[in-house]
Amino acid sequence: MENWNSANKDLFHGKDGDLAGQDKESQEVPMLALHLLQFALVHVNTLLMQQVLANPK
């Protein structure tokens, strides 16, 4: 979990990984964008893992 959190700071580097904005509505869009990027990374990792596992060598 700690590695995932440190990756989030690398991906979402504005204000040292903190969400900008004073209210919930202004923080929602960056958080959704971060979630989309996280899901994309998980998908790419899954595809790469399937490719590795499909190779019998």
Side-chain angles (χ1 to χ4, degrees), residues 11-25:
L11 293 173
F12 198 76
H13 57 84
K15 292 195 173 190
D16 296 325
D18 294 334
L19 290 174
Q22 298 296 326
D23 56 358
K24 186 177 178 180
E25 287 77 23

Side-chain angles (χ1 to χ4, degrees), residues 2 7 15 23 29 45 50-51:
E2 288 296 321
K15 292 195 173 190
D23 56 358
V29 172
N45 285 339
Q50 287 176 342
Q51 192 176 27

Side-chain angles (χ1 to χ4, degrees), residues 45-57:
N45 285 339
T46 301
L47 293 176
L48 290 173
M49 187 62 71
Q50 287 176 342
Q51 192 176 27
V52 167
L53 294 174
N55 188 354
K57 294 179 184 179

